[in-house]
Amino acid sequence: MYAQMLCGLIMREEVLRVGAVFASGLLKAVRFLQVNWKQFAHDIETGTLNPKVTDPSVRECMSKILKPNPELAAFITKECSEENWECIITRIWPNTKYLDVIVTGAMAQYIPTLEYYSGGLPMACTMYASSECYFGLNLKPMCKPSEVSYTIMPNMAYFEFLPHDDSSAQDSSRDSPPRLVDLADLEVGKEYELIVTTYAGLCRYRVGDILRVTGFHNAAPQFRFIRRKNVLLSIDFDKTDESELQQAIENASVLLKEFNTSVVEYTSYADTKQIPGHYVIYWELFVKDAANAPTDEVLSQCCFQMEESLNVVYRQCRVADSIGPLEIRVVKNGTFEELMDYAISRGASINQYKVPRCVSFTPIMELLDSRVVSKHFSPALPHWTPERRR
Ligand code: AMP
């Protein structure tokens, strides 16, 4: 990563696109620059490679392109030492035409941060894929992230679909055997869970993604990625999934706008140590102006706003006192970076890493809890009446 970023800096005028597989990876790269720019400037000024890079073949390659360039070093120092990193991508790489990065599904929450760093460059979500197999391509890569549909590539695996009905969003395998639908029989507007049989030998493997059919390209169906299937949080009868949690966070973070603050990362935890149990949401915030940081009261209102945004069963359980007030724990800057380092140290791939949207593993909880700077609780019950069904 160090050598790659250094090459990017040396050839800054030639860079036409900046990207990573997932948005979280691209933000990790920006953060890497933030942490290491002094070393990069030093290497560029002196034409030497940081001794921390030990791989001989990488050192040899770098020696061919790394020449002393004090002018470029001064430029990097000037841009990176500024407090304000708005548009840093286009400042350092002025010819960037677009960001090549997946911002659909759970990655959508990074869009505002990427817009901030890139000055609103288009974001091309080109593909929908997994370790198990490739699924689809976006045939209109320059469309808005909210309009992205992926066209399935029927030759990549044998695709089948399990109809997904939200009103009975339970594991249908518990009832009668699931009725699978073939590619050709999908209906526009309906949601399905993706099932693949791969050339490598997975048989009817449930990928865990919920997709909505948006149309067809010739005879190949096109999908909007809706969410991962699993329920994230549950205390009582309530079931909160990833997209609901994300929507609640988006609604609550509107309250942070006037404080020039945004939610950089989040995860959640169903705390059932006390009765009633309650939802805990860990937030890492980006506060542009420390003198105008959101107050305790505003953060409590964010808790309330989240509760208001959650589904009717959650609100009903809150009113019935079977769920306690939602809690936001604000963690120190860089906490989620540490979380990723921890996952990588346990074998996760840096390219595929996705922040877990719900945590329960003790070492991760300990890491998060040791970085908490403040705690806030919802001050009131969310609205719920027996008549109100939505
Ligand atoms: P992995 O097997 O770790 O590479 O992750 C594959 C999973 O990443 C998929 O099952 C999806 O949940 C998610 N994913 C991959 N591509 C996209 C995409 N274009 N939009 C949203 N989520 C995606």
Side-chain angles (χ1 to χ4, degrees):
M1 190 150 175
Y2 189 93
Q4 196 175 352
M5 181 67 83
L6 191 54
C7 290
L9 294 174
I10 294 168
M11 299 172 199
R12 59 185 277 273
E13 304 278 346
E14 288 155 65
V15 171
L16 298 180
R17 74 188 160 110
V18 173
V21 178
F22 292 113
S24 51
L26 185 49
L27 288 174
K28 163 94 181 158
V30 173
R31 174 98 188 119
F32 189 77
L33 180 61
Q34 225 157 18
V35 172
N36 291 296
W37 65 264
K38 283 189 187 141
Q39 283 96 303
F40 289 131
H42 175 268
D43 291 4
I44 292 171
E45 183 166 7
T46 57
T48 57
L49 182 62
N50 192 313
K52 272 200 245 167
V53 181
T54 51
D55 186 306
S57 60
V58 173
R59 291 198 71 84
E60 198 203 322
C61 287
M62 290 306 293
S63 69
K64 292 185 191 139
I65 61 162
L66 194 54
K67 305 278 174 295
N69 186 343
E71 202 183 319
L72 178 58
F75 172 81
I76 304 286
T77 304
K78 180 179 148 294
E79 294 297 338
C80 296
S81 58
E82 270 184 32
E83 186 111 324
N84 182 354
W85 269 48
E86 196 163 355
C87 300
I88 194 71
I89 293 181
T90 39
R91 282 195 266 143
I92 304 259
W93 296 285
N95 296 317
T96 318
K97 301 283 180 281
Y98 67 98
L99 302 182
D100 186 353
V101 68
I102 291 175
V103 286
T104 42
M107 297 292 148
Q109 51 127 359
Y110 301 107
I111 293 174
T113 318
L114 285 177
E115 279 175 342
Y116 174 77
Y117 285 133
S118 73
L121 281 178
M123 294 171 208
C125 303
T126 53
M127 58 160 181
Y128 166 44
S130 75
S131 311
E132 293 79 26
C133 88
Y134 265 73
F135 304 132
L137 290 177
N138 177 5
L139 299 182
K140 293 184 191 151
M142 301 316 278
C143 74
K144 283 195 213 142
S146 57
E147 289 164 10
V148 172
S149 276
Y150 298 99
T151 304
I152 216 94
M153 293 186 281
N155 54 332
M156 287 291 152
Y158 189 77
F159 294 101
E160 290 173 289
F161 298 85
L162 187 60
H164 182 79
D165 176 4
D166 242 351
S167 59
S168 61
Q170 284 157 11
D171 190 348
S172 48
S173 61
R174 268 186 276 145
D175 312 315
S176 50
R179 183 181 63 86
L180 296 181
V181 181
D182 274 320
L183 266 183
D185 301 325
L186 296 172
E187 288 177 57
V188 174
K190 292 220 166 138
E191 291 186 3
Y192 299 89
E193 185 188 336
L194 180 62
I195 315 261
V196 290
T197 297
T198 65
Y199 294 110
L202 287 173
C203 182
R204 291 196 157 166
Y205 174 78
R206 295 176 75 157
V207 175
D209 294 345
I210 304 294
L211 310 174
R212 182 181 304 139
V213 184
T214 53
F216 286 87
H217 174 79
N218 297 328
Q222 299 182 299
F223 294 98
R224 184 146 301 157
F225 182 94
I226 302 297
R227 61 183 169 83
R228 294 286 301 176
K229 191 186 61 181
N230 297 339
V231 168
L232 278 188
L233 293 165
S234 179
I235 299 275
D236 191 18
F237 296 120
D238 56 305
K239 289 187 177 56
T240 298
D241 66 36
E242 196 172 293
S243 58
E244 270 174 331
L245 182 65
Q246 186 159 326
Q247 188 58 54
I249 285 179
E250 275 171 28
N251 293 352
S253 49
V254 170
L255 300 177
L256 302 176
K257 272 202 179 138
E258 65 174 292
F259 299 90
N260 261 328
T261 296
S262 53
V263 179
V264 188
E265 268 305 353
Y266 69 87
T267 190
S268 64
Y269 168 61
D271 186 348
T272 48
K273 284 191 225 73
Q274 284 151 11
I275 297 175
H278 71 293
Y279 288 12
V280 176
I281 316 295
Y282 292 90
W283 269 10
E284 184 171 324
L285 297 177
F286 175 50
V287 185
K288 270 194 212 156
D289 174 12
N292 182 32
T295 57
D296 186 36
E297 199 195 329
V298 169
L299 288 161
S300 304
Q301 280 305 319
C302 289
C303 299
F304 179 68
Q305 189 56 53
M306 281 196 69
E307 294 203 300
E308 282 282 72
S309 310
L310 291 173
N311 62 55
V312 64
V313 183
Y314 174 87
R315 285 180 278 119
Q316 182 179 4
C317 291
R318 269 287 281 137
V319 171
D321 208 24
S322 61
I323 301 182
L326 183 144
E327 177 183 359
I328 289 178
R329 294 184 190 163
V330 179
V331 294
K332 268 194 231 159
N333 280 356
T335 301
F336 280 84
E337 173 112 4
E338 289 183 60
L339 205 67
M340 169 158 137
D341 291 342
Y342 177 75
I344 289 167
S345 74
R346 288 174 52 93
S349 140
I350 190 167
N351 225 7
Q352 290 172 273
Y353 177 79
K354 302 163 199 81
V355 174
R357 291 299 170 217
C358 184
V359 291
S360 56
F361 186 49
T362 309
I364 290 189
M365 304 299 308
E366 283 171 0
L367 192 156
L368 286 168
D369 280 328
S370 66
R371 306 294 189 274
V372 170
V373 289
S374 62
K375 295 182 178 185
H376 313 268
F377 289 89
S378 181
L381 290 176
H383 291 105
W384 178 79
T385 52
E387 299 82 49
R388 195 178 148 182
R389 283 268 149 231
R390 297 192 315 138

